[in-house]
Amino acid sequence: MTRDEKVMMYERGQANCYYKIGKLVDDLCDSILKESEALEDDEANRQVVLNHIDRIRKAHKMLLEA
């Protein structure tokens, strides 16, 4: 296996990991939102949930940019 092939395999694996992490983040945020809706939280609690989701998404974006 050549060096270029190894690099391509590494990059594909890395991209796959980023995709899986992104999917997990999306699933987590969807789950939090559904749970919040199921509990029929008031608007203040809903805003807290949305703030947490926003922080999770920002952390994921920072991870991708690192």
Side-chain angles (χ1 to χ4, degrees):
M1 182 178 288
T2 67
R3 183 182 185 289
D4 289 342
E5 290 172 329
K6 289 179 182 177
V7 169
M8 285 177 52
M9 283 181 52
Y10 173 79
E11 288 174 349
R12 266 188 266 138
Q14 189 177 22
N16 190 32
C17 286
Y18 286 142
Y19 171 78
K20 287 182 179 180
I21 291 170
K23 181 97 174 95
L24 286 171
V25 167
D26 288 343
D27 291 347
L28 173 65
C29 292
D30 289 345
S31 174
I32 292 170
L33 205 52
K34 285 178 186 174
E35 178 120 2
S36 174
E37 290 171 356
L39 293 173
E40 298 178 3
D41 288 340
D42 63 4
E43 188 58 35
N45 287 340
R46 182 165 174 75
Q47 191 58 43
V48 169
V49 168
L50 293 176
N51 286 340
H52 284 299
I53 289 173
D54 187 48
R55 287 177 41 206
I56 291 168
R57 292 194 189 276
K58 283 180 182 176
H60 177 244
K61 184 178 178 182
M62 287 174 47
L63 174 67
L64 292 177
E65 292 172 352

